[in-house]
Amino acid sequence: MQLKEPGIVVGVSNRHVHLSQEDLERLFGKGYKLTPTKDLGQPGQFACDERVDLVGPKGTIENVRILGPVRKNSQVEISRTDSFKLGINAPVRDSGDVQGTPGIKIKGPNGEIELAKGVIIAKRHIHMLPSQAEHYGVKDKDLVSVYCDKEGRRLIFQDVLVRVSEKYALEFHVDTDEANAALLNNGDYVKIVEKF
């Protein structure tokens, strides 16, 4: 097995919500603006002070963090484990690909909304700049394999989506279920597998 250098930093993505400005105002009040609390690994992205409750057919998950900035369309990203608690059969999708996905009720302090679609389990992926894609020998939308070298839980993630843009920073994103399976934490490093 050959591994491409250098390693890529891991970003573990917990359940979260992206909101449109319209939905944000329905949940928090007219003219409401998000309150950034922490910058995320991708430029311009941030975790917010604001939290909401997700209400599914079988259960509720409270205090789910909103990520900013606001988007054109609202979207909810959960893990497979979360889907069991909520009673929602969320598909694995790339962010933004919500056609044919289930909806959910979201409760905020000033109201609630019912999304007709938008609940996904995010496809594991790597963000990178065009120069980094050239270095690794990949292009946007390629699928690669990623090796995780944590003793006792070494594994290879296959079908990892490559996302290339001048707006990105180099980072491997997995959800909490995937991270737990490989004993991965924020700030760990993984490597793209060239051949195996």
Side-chain angles (χ1 to χ4, degrees):
M1 179 171 65
Q2 296 179 344
L3 304 174
K4 295 188 178 183
E5 298 287 350
I8 300 170
V9 71
V10 173
V12 179
S13 182
N14 201 350
R15 68 181 77 96
H16 61 270
V17 176
H18 299 283
L19 290 174
S20 66
Q21 183 61 38
E22 179 185 0
D23 287 343
L24 176 66
E25 292 185 15
R26 288 169 67 191
L27 293 169
F28 289 87
K30 189 74 174 169
Y32 196 87
K33 302 292 183 192
L34 290 170
T35 310
T37 58
K38 176 185 165 188
D39 288 334
L40 301 177
Q42 296 307 303
Q45 306 292 307
F46 52 87
C48 302
D49 228 7
E50 291 78 13
R51 294 172 183 260
V52 292
D53 296 344
L54 303 178
V55 183
K58 289 187 177 178
T60 299
I61 299 178
E62 298 178 337
N63 295 314
V64 178
R65 189 179 295 279
I66 297 172
L67 299 187
V70 292
R71 291 191 174 186
K72 182 179 177 183
N73 298 304
S74 296
Q75 176 178 294
V76 176
E77 297 182 31
I78 61 174
S79 70
R80 180 70 169 155
T81 300
D82 293 334
S83 75
F84 297 141
K85 180 167 185 177
L86 292 168
I88 293 176
N89 187 21
V92 176
R93 293 284 184 86
D94 187 18
S95 182
D97 180 11
V98 298
Q99 196 62 38
T101 60
I104 196 168
K105 182 185 287 185
I106 303 177
K107 287 187 174 181
N110 281 25
E112 62 183 49
I113 58 174
E114 186 87 40
L115 295 184
K117 61 184 177 183
V119 182
I120 66 167
I121 298 169
K123 186 173 184 66
R124 50 187 173 248
H125 57 277
I126 302 173
H127 292 281
M128 60 178 71
L129 294 166
S131 60
Q132 293 163 333
E134 186 176 351
H135 170 79
Y136 288 109
V138 297
K139 61 185 184 305
D140 190 49
K141 300 285 194 294
D142 275 356
L143 294 175
V144 298
S145 296
V146 170
Y147 178 61
C148 307
D149 189 19
K150 296 295 280 241
E151 190 170 345
R153 283 290 179 95
R154 291 185 179 98
L155 60 78
I156 293 173
F157 285 115
Q158 295 185 311
D159 300 323
V160 178
L161 179 68
V162 174
R163 302 181 66 190
V164 181
S165 170
E166 291 286 1
K167 298 177 181 178
Y168 292 154
L170 186 62
E171 195 172 33
F172 172 57
H173 282 181
V174 288
D175 68 24
T176 51
D177 283 355
E178 294 170 307
N180 289 340
L183 298 181
L184 288 175
N185 298 302
N186 284 317
D188 286 345
Y189 282 84
V190 296
K191 293 180 181 178
I192 294 176
V193 177
E194 188 168 359
K195 294 176 183 175
F196 67 94

